[in-house]
Amino acid sequence: MASNTITFDPDSGVPYGANLTIYGGTDFTQTFNVKDTSNSAFNLTSYSGSAKLSKSIGIGASTGSGNYTTFSVSITSALGGKLKISLTDTQTKSLDQGRYMYDVLVTIGSTTYPLVNGNVYVYNTVTQRS
């Protein structure tokens, strides 16, 4: 299981940038160790998360309903600032090889903040493809 340490400043409105790699046909898990601007664990108590992956979000791209994959998101340690995103092997098997974009949002009350975003490169494995 991979992990990234990221800094989250809700007042800035700017997500942390982190690129990821997914191997098609395998389970994918990424843990984000979320720190505040003082480098202490960010308290994620009362926050919820959501995350999506899309092949393309550029101008002229066919974006919209159904053109993305939704990650499972869980806060594994609210006081420790740990948030996990994951995809099953079935989900990653259905992804075409190539570059994708993703983002993770966190919500508290009625306010949603961008937490992290970046590129994802998907590699298809030979033995898992059918």
Side-chain angles (χ1 to χ4, degrees):
M1 170 171 48
S3 68
N4 277 336
T5 299
I6 64 171
T7 302
F8 177 49
D9 179 7
D11 294 330
S12 75
V14 178
Y16 190 90
N19 295 328
L20 307 174
T21 301
I22 294 175
Y23 293 94
T26 65
D27 290 327
F28 170 80
T29 301
Q30 175 72 44
T31 298
F32 294 102
N33 300 305
V34 184
K35 304 286 185 177
D36 63 19
T37 56
S38 300
N39 205 30
S40 297
F42 189 92
N43 186 347
L44 291 169
T45 301
S46 301
Y47 280 84
S48 62
S50 62
K52 291 185 180 177
L53 172 76
S54 179
K55 182 66 172 166
S56 179
I57 59 171
I59 296 172
S62 56
T63 58
S65 179
N67 291 327
Y68 56 82
T69 300
T70 301
F71 289 95
S72 293
V73 179
S74 59
I75 295 174
T76 57
S77 174
L79 292 176
K82 295 190 184 298
L83 180 139
K84 179 175 77 171
I85 63 172
S86 60
L87 295 172
T88 66
D89 59 339
T90 302
Q91 287 175 297
T92 65
K93 186 176 182 176
S94 69
L95 298 173
D96 291 330
Q97 183 164 300
R99 186 180 64 84
Y100 291 72
M101 303 289 292
Y102 82 101
D103 62 9
V104 180
L105 307 176
V106 291
T107 301
I108 186 165
S110 61
T111 306
T112 300
Y113 300 97
L115 178 68
V116 61
N117 69 9
N119 294 310
V120 177
Y121 198 84
V122 174
Y123 293 96
N124 287 329
T125 57
V126 175
T127 57
Q128 295 294 324
R129 301 298 286 185
S130 58

